[in-house]
Amino acid sequence: MTLHEFEDLFDYHYSNKDLGAAVASGSFLTDGMVIVPASMKTIAGISIGLGENLIARAADVTLKEQRKLVLVPRETPLNAIHLENLTKLARLGVQIIPPIPAFYNHPETIQDLVDHHTMKLLDQFGIENDTSRRWQGE
């Protein structure tokens, strides 16, 4: 899929520099926000309320409007500062869903791992999906 084909799937598309974008306002209604991947710089900015770009500003709006915010942190290993920022956000109700592979469903491909993680993200918003096999017990 080309970038243009991908962008055609969007309802809205903004530059990260566009702090005047509709999504930077609490009056722009959303169910929430997912940031994939979330760099530790972005996470740090969100944790201190530094809306220096559209991603950080939209996340700040999501928090102030008490909407669901989901972060998929990309760094590893994590240092104490990373953990403090993530813990601070988790205490505010932010869902932290690291891209940790699940092996209990016996994935056979990388796509199986991606599909399972996608399922977990969609579940956060109550979006029905069958992108991956769910745990059925042993």
Side-chain angles (χ1 to χ4, degrees):
M1 180 178 285
T2 68
L3 179 59
H4 181 69
E5 291 170 332
F6 186 60
E7 289 175 344
D8 284 344
L9 299 173
F10 303 165
D11 290 330
Y12 303 94
H13 178 258
Y14 305 104
S15 164
N16 198 30
K17 297 176 185 176
D18 185 2
L19 293 177
V23 73
S25 170
S27 64
F28 184 83
L29 296 178
T30 67
D31 291 330
M33 180 177 182
V34 180
I35 302 175
V36 181
S39 70
M40 286 303 146
K41 178 182 178 184
T42 296
I43 288 168
I46 294 167
S47 77
I48 62 169
L50 181 64
E52 68 177 344
N53 59 43
L54 184 55
I55 293 172
R57 172 63 187 156
D60 185 53
V61 166
T62 300
L63 286 171
K64 82 177 184 70
E65 297 296 330
Q66 297 183 357
R67 297 177 184 146
K68 184 172 282 289
L69 179 60
V70 178
L71 302 177
V72 181
R74 73 172 186 195
E75 315 307 334
T76 189
L78 300 172
N79 66 40
I81 295 169
H82 301 155
L83 294 169
E84 286 175 8
N85 287 332
L86 289 166
T87 300
K88 180 180 178 181
L89 291 169
R91 287 186 178 131
L92 293 173
V94 175
Q95 286 293 106
I96 311 296
I97 306 179
I100 298 171
F103 294 104
Y104 61 80
N105 60 351
H106 307 288
E108 295 177 7
T109 66
I110 297 295
Q111 189 63 52
D112 290 342
L113 296 172
V114 171
D115 289 347
H116 189 265
H117 198 260
T118 300
M119 177 189 73
K120 294 282 193 177
L121 296 175
L122 293 172
D123 286 351
Q124 293 304 305
F125 290 89
I127 299 172
E128 287 189 36
N129 69 90
D130 58 1
T131 62
S132 183
R133 292 182 298 221
R134 294 185 182 275
W135 177 250
Q136 302 296 316
E138 294 190 51

